[in-house]
Amino acid sequence: MDVFLLSRLQFALNISFHILFPTITIALGWFLFYFKLRHDLSGHPVWMRIYRFWVRVFALTFALGVVSGVTMSFQFGTNWPGFMEKVGNVAGPLLGYEVLTAFFLEATFLGIMLFGINRVPSWLHTLSALIVAVGTTISAFWILSLNSWMQTPQGHEIIDGVVYAKDWSAIIFNPSFPYRLGHMLLASGLTASFLIAGLSAYRMLKGDDKLAPQLALKTAVFAAAVLIPIQIFVGDLHGLNTLKHQPQKIAAMEGVWETEQGAPLLLFAIPDEVNRTNHFEIGIPKGASFILTHDLDGEIKGLNEFVGEHPPVAPVFYSFRVMVGLGILMLLVAWWSSAQIITRKELPDYLKKGLVWMTFSGWIATLAGWYVTEVGRQPYLVSGVLKTSDAVTQLPPEHVGFSFVIYAALYSVLLVAYIKTLFLMCRRSVEIEEISQEEREQARKYKQRVANA
Amino acid sequence: MTFEFLSESQLATIYIGLLGLSVLLYAILDGYDLGVGVLLPSDNQEQRDRMIASIGPYWDANETWLVLAIGLLLIAFPTAHSLVLQALYIPATIMLAGLILRGVSFDFRAKVKQGQKAIWDKCFKAGSLITTLAQGYMLGLYVTGLETSIWAHGFAVLSALGVTAAYAFIGACWLILKTEHDLQLRAYAWAKTLIWVLGAGIIAVSLANLSLHDFVRDLWLSTPSGLFLGAIPLICFSLLVLCGVVLRRLPNSQTDNEPAQGEWLPFLIAILVFLLSFMALAMSYFPYAVPGQLTIYQSLSSADSLRFLLVGVVFVVPCILAYTFLVYRIFSGKAEQLRYY
């Protein structure tokens, strides 16, 4: 194994593991703020119940995101020194702003959220929840700005082979950034929604007949039902933007080997990189051209125009179909569940089971989406500016092999522990009584305060 | 462009100052919570709970200073970042594994069945210990100028033990401040033992330091800087002696319902010792980014990028310090039982 392949594998492992957690916490932060706000406005202890359960999930998820994020910040310099040497003048400040404006905010106010319940007034607690949600979103802003710049770079100049920043607003708000940010925030919203719905459904199936999981499930299913059509729309815009700036990525996503008018929308195929063709194509005639150019006979540039400059086709092609397929499944499940809740006031068991199966569907869709965009940028690390192979380290392969084994072992244990712990928390919360004496007392005091106000 | 008036060398000084501040704050803040992790006793679940409760609200934010320090090194001195961390790749990987283990144990332990809690506590302790040893080892190799000789590795091992003892010491002082009764008495005992280790460590590292680089030795043996630098280990020693006296007297001056006056003193002295040790290191090696190899001026990234980031630094860092202070105010006093929501 050479050090290039090992470093790529390690980085792929690391970002794949890492993104699982931010994709939950970004939106879960906003859900928590909503739950806390509902509690403040209604005084009903059930919202506090929901908040307390999910704030613990948030804390665990956040911790895993932090520790896997720290390892990435080391790898930029150790495994990809060429990245900072060549584009560090752009990447550095964006990463710096993320640390300064987001990380401290999240970590500090999460402390208040978790441990301050008896120490701070309710309004400050709610404010902390809001600040944490804003923090996670700011974090997404900066990191997606950097990633988008790597996809569609602008606002820089190259002097003696080194990139210098010329116009920061052009760099931050580069062409693909608004679409990628929107797409990721919505992906996070859906991931969190299906997680909340799935775990709440699991609790109900385990005999939890309390109000908390019912309300949480309802909130999550409605949120998913609203977000998924928006996501499909934004995803389509994102695709059109990619067609404009990275046509080779679209060609790989659609499996178009030769430039053609009226390209079909392939539902299934097996791309063959060696013979530069697809096997077993099943497609909708002229579909791809219609979606991408809004013209049945529109021209789609094929991979033949980018020989040696286009990504490996199979992973991009398959990942794209996994993402879209899951999106459609999410749409069906969310809308059908919402319809059931609205008309029958409750979900039939088969739908609850379906939601349990869909608990981590957001993870798979998010991963697939990132594979499309990241593998789709290859062989470049920064489109047209820096090739991935030119950025790699000169470290001895056995050193990278050592770290890869350590990370792989740790991450697999942690992933299993994380999932098991979530379901364990659900089973344990089934046994907890509906409303404790303390909560009754709190609710009574709250009502008094409102009456006196 | 803002900060146009700052020259490249001024920017280098500003950023190495910021980097130094982050490292110092990291060593103090994450130092005490890593130290608490290292000290976790294997014989008492209830004490372990209280110890972990005492760092609960803070540890996550404390660790963020490491992210900032590594980030600043990457952003301002990218060539130094690559050079240092590639040379320290294996210990850095081990340190990260320790940090991962520790960070997740903290959260898992609060959510699993009682029987499994002890296992996660062991992971928490192991992760803390791995982290402190690896950090000390990295620091040791770094000040030798990333040498690969047997002496350099020997010095690094010494440094690993020294840093671990220092972290455990400040952790024990933190516990004196944040806990009561039997656990606090235990913390006093730990601190008393660790003072001796720390004193020996400071002597050993000071002497070893003089033999590492000619430029450092010349600096220490010249006037007037040498007088100032030479005073630092002496002041550290006086502080440790004072701390020893305080540690002996405090437990006797408390009654059942009145905590002793001055429980914050050991922690304050520990902070001062950290600050002084850090200053001695910083003054010895300025302006090197890698001792004896690479200066901060040689490894500085583009001035315009640093000016752009400085805008954020000027506005945000004071805010970070302010709300960090706020959190310490909110959670002041003795640590409560871990009421984890």
Side-chain angles (χ1 to χ4, degrees):
Chain A
M1 285 264 239
D2 67 336
V3 78
F4 181 47
L5 184 62
L6 279 167
S7 286
R8 284 187 75 184
L9 278 175
Q10 177 173 297
F11 206 74
L13 169 82
N14 222 310
I15 51 176
S16 300
F17 182 76
H18 174 71
I19 194 62
L20 300 177
F21 306 103
T23 194
I24 291 175
T25 51
I26 292 166
L28 189 54
W30 289 104
F31 271 108
L32 286 173
F33 175 60
Y34 171 80
F35 295 149
K36 184 71 176 57
L37 209 57
R38 283 296 298 259
H39 170 261
D40 290 354
L41 293 172
S42 67
H44 198 303
V46 70
W47 289 106
M48 202 64 196
R49 256 296 147 87
I50 298 171
Y51 173 84
R52 279 186 190 174
F53 180 85
W54 287 99
V55 84
R56 294 173 67 218
V57 174
F58 183 93
L60 180 62
T61 314
F62 185 79
L64 282 155
V66 169
V67 295
S68 54
V70 175
T71 53
M72 288 196 318
S73 66
F74 274 78
Q75 279 178 53
F76 288 133
T78 52
N79 297 69
W80 306 99
F83 177 71
M84 286 314 275
E85 276 159 33
K86 179 128 186 173
V87 302
N89 294 328
V90 167
L94 298 180
L95 289 168
Y97 269 105
E98 186 190 16
V99 179
L100 285 173
T101 56
F103 290 173
F104 282 101
L105 215 55
E106 292 172 87
T108 309
F109 286 91
L110 182 61
I112 299 182
M113 271 172 91
L114 290 172
F115 302 100
I117 207 146
N118 299 326
R119 292 222 174 200
V120 298
S122 182
W123 63 266
L124 182 54
H125 197 118
T126 310
L127 182 65
S128 298
L130 174 63
I131 289 174
V132 169
V134 169
T136 56
T137 310
I138 291 175
S139 183
F141 175 94
W142 290 112
I143 209 72
L144 286 165
S145 172
L146 172 55
N147 182 272
S148 299
W149 182 84
M150 289 162 66
Q151 305 274 357
T152 52
Q154 65 167 38
H156 63 281
E157 55 190 343
I158 301 178
I159 304 167
D160 299 333
V162 176
V163 168
Y164 288 88
K166 238 173 50 178
D167 176 356
W168 279 106
S169 66
I171 288 170
I172 295 168
F173 299 99
N174 58 76
S176 62
F177 173 55
Y179 302 98
R180 188 169 281 102
L181 179 66
H183 203 42
M184 182 65 212
L185 292 179
L186 287 158
S188 175
L190 288 161
T191 307
S193 298
F194 277 95
L195 181 81
I196 296 174
L199 291 185
S200 303
Y202 179 75
R203 277 171 65 173
M204 286 153 86
L205 288 170
K206 287 281 163 202
D208 194 337
D209 55 357
K210 297 197 285 286
L211 193 54
Q214 291 169 32
L215 276 175
L217 180 104
K218 201 162 114 180
T219 309
V221 165
F222 286 171
V226 172
L227 292 175
I228 188 79
I230 304 174
Q231 176 68 315
I232 290 168
F233 175 69
V234 169
D236 181 53
L237 291 179
H238 191 17
L240 295 178
N241 178 267
T242 307
L243 177 68
K244 193 169 156 191
H245 296 279
Q246 297 172 290
Q248 69 279 29
K249 188 188 284 184
I250 292 289
M253 281 155 65
E254 300 295 354
V256 182
W257 291 97
E258 302 287 333
T259 300
E260 60 181 306
Q261 274 107 15
L265 179 64
L266 296 176
L267 302 177
F268 180 81
I270 296 181
D272 176 349
E273 197 91 33
V274 179
N275 300 312
R276 303 189 70 77
T277 182
N278 298 325
H279 306 292
F280 308 109
E281 284 189 7
I282 304 168
I284 299 167
K286 302 186 189 243
S289 283
F290 181 71
I291 288 176
L292 289 161
T293 63
H294 302 286
D295 170 7
L296 284 174
D297 293 313
E299 183 180 280
I300 305 287
K301 278 199 164 55
L303 293 155
N304 57 317
E305 313 221 0
F306 310 100
V307 174
E309 297 277 302
H310 71 72
V313 178
V316 179
F317 183 88
Y318 293 133
S319 300
F320 182 63
R321 271 142 198 79
V322 169
M323 176 181 80
V324 172
L326 271 170
I328 291 165
L329 186 64
M330 284 177 168
L331 180 80
L332 296 174
V333 171
W335 281 18
W336 183 240
S337 302
S338 300
Q340 293 287 319
I341 291 175
I342 291 167
T343 54
R344 300 178 36 186
K345 296 279 177 261
E346 64 165 358
L347 281 181
D349 271 7
Y350 73 87
L351 261 183
K352 283 183 198 151
K353 281 181 186 138
L355 282 171
V356 173
W357 279 104
M358 295 279 287
T359 302
F360 296 108
S361 54
W363 272 6
I364 298 166
T366 304
L367 280 177
W370 275 107
Y371 293 157
V372 170
T373 203
E374 291 293 278
V375 178
R377 196 190 52 231
Q378 304 304 328
Y380 284 98
L381 190 56
V382 180
S383 299
V385 174
L386 173 65
K387 282 214 158 132
T388 310
S389 53
D390 294 338
V392 77
T393 184
Q394 299 299 315
L395 279 170
E398 52 272 21
H399 282 202
V400 184
F402 169 80
S403 56
F404 178 75
V405 169
I406 284 198
Y407 292 142
L410 263 176
Y411 289 165
S412 25
V413 170
L414 291 179
L415 190 60
V416 173
Y418 176 77
I419 293 171
K420 279 179 75 170
T421 305
L422 289 189
F423 285 105
L424 174 78
M425 282 168 69
C426 290
R427 287 196 299 277
R428 288 176 75 183
S429 69
V430 173
E431 281 116 54
I432 298 173
E433 57 178 321
E434 173 78 74
I435 302 290
S436 70
Q437 201 52 46
E438 186 188 3
E439 284 169 314
R440 280 207 190 88
E441 193 56 27
Q442 273 176 349
R444 198 183 53 79
K445 278 187 188 151
Y446 182 89
K447 286 205 178 81
Q448 266 183 340
R449 269 212 310 279
V450 174
N452 296 342
Chain B
M1 209 65 191
T2 38
F3 296 114
E4 225 30 82
F5 57 89
L6 291 172
S7 67
E8 289 208 1
S9 68
Q10 284 171 316
L11 280 166
T13 312
I14 290 170
Y15 272 93
I16 197 71
L18 282 168
L19 180 55
L21 178 73
S22 308
V23 171
L24 176 65
L25 281 168
Y26 175 75
I28 291 170
L29 297 171
D30 214 29
Y32 77 70
D33 68 53
L34 280 163
V36 168
V38 169
L39 292 169
L40 279 192
S42 53
D43 57 3
N44 193 322
Q45 179 69 59
E46 191 260 339
Q47 284 185 352
R48 285 203 299 269
D49 287 352
R50 272 193 289 155
M51 283 166 78
I52 290 177
S54 80
I55 57 176
Y58 313 102
W59 76 271
D60 210 345
N62 293 346
E63 204 169 279
T64 308
W65 290 102
L66 176 69
V67 181
L68 182 62
I70 293 295
L72 283 169
L73 182 63
L74 181 75
I75 296 156
F77 312 106
T79 38
H81 182 276
S82 294
L83 193 68
V84 172
L85 288 174
Q86 286 191 56
L88 302 173
Y89 189 77
I90 299 284
T93 303
I94 293 172
M95 179 194 87
L96 289 168
L99 278 176
I100 291 170
L101 203 56
R102 180 169 178 272
V104 300
S105 302
F106 188 95
D107 263 289
F108 277 124
R109 73 183 293 281
K111 297 179 178 64
V112 292
K113 297 189 186 80
Q114 204 59 30
Q116 290 182 344
K117 201 170 176 180
I119 298 172
W120 284 112
D121 282 350
K122 281 199 176 64
C123 288
F124 189 76
K125 186 180 171 102
S128 305
L129 193 59
I130 291 168
T131 305
T132 60
L133 287 169
Q135 276 180 12
Y137 190 86
M138 286 162 76
L139 178 69
L141 270 191
Y142 170 79
V143 300
T144 65
L146 305 175
E147 278 197 32
T148 48
S149 68
I150 186 80
W151 290 112
H153 285 289
F155 180 73
V157 170
L158 182 73
S159 164
L161 297 172
V163 166
T164 302
Y167 282 174
F169 174 67
I170 201 171
C173 294
W174 170 259
L175 289 172
I176 290 169
L177 180 65
K178 298 298 279 188
T179 62
E180 302 164 293
H181 313 306
D182 56 329
L183 179 56
Q184 192 189 33
L185 290 176
R186 224 174 164 175
Y188 277 122
W190 284 326
K192 276 183 206 160
T193 313
L194 286 161
I195 263 195
W196 291 100
V197 185
L198 202 58
I202 287 175
I203 295 175
V205 172
S206 298
L207 291 175
N209 211 2
L210 288 177
S211 61
L212 283 172
H213 299 282
D214 294 342
F215 70 88
V216 176
R217 191 168 50 242
D218 296 344
L219 192 71
W220 278 68
L221 300 178
S222 66
T223 49
S225 57
L227 290 173
F228 191 81
L229 279 166
I232 289 181
L234 291 176
I235 301 172
C236 276
F237 255 94
S238 324
L239 281 171
L240 288 180
V241 171
L242 174 70
C243 198
V245 175
V246 170
L247 288 173
R248 194 144 352 133
R249 292 211 175 162
L250 275 179
N252 307 331
S253 68
Q254 63 186 17
T255 55
D256 283 346
N257 42 18
E258 271 299 306
Q261 291 294 310
E263 284 179 341
W264 47 270
L265 258 173
F267 190 61
L268 179 71
I269 292 173
I271 290 177
L272 287 173
V273 171
F274 270 55
L275 180 69
L276 287 164
S277 310
F278 179 82
M279 268 173 56
L281 269 180
M283 286 171 63
S284 301
Y285 292 102
F286 186 85
Y288 282 105
V290 182
Q293 278 192 48
L294 186 69
T295 67
I296 52 175
Y297 311 115
Q298 293 163 327
S299 55
L300 194 71
S301 63
S302 141
D304 280 341
S305 293
L306 294 178
R307 289 189 183 105
F308 172 68
L309 183 62
L310 201 55
V311 180
V313 170
V314 167
F315 281 103
V316 177
V317 171
C319 295
I320 293 173
L321 293 171
Y323 61 67
T324 303
F325 180 73
L326 171 82
V327 166
Y328 277 84
R329 279 291 306 276
I330 288 173
F331 294 102
S332 63
K334 298 292 179 188
E336 292 167 18
Q337 285 302 330
L338 195 60
R339 295 285 304 276
Y340 190 87
Y341 297 114

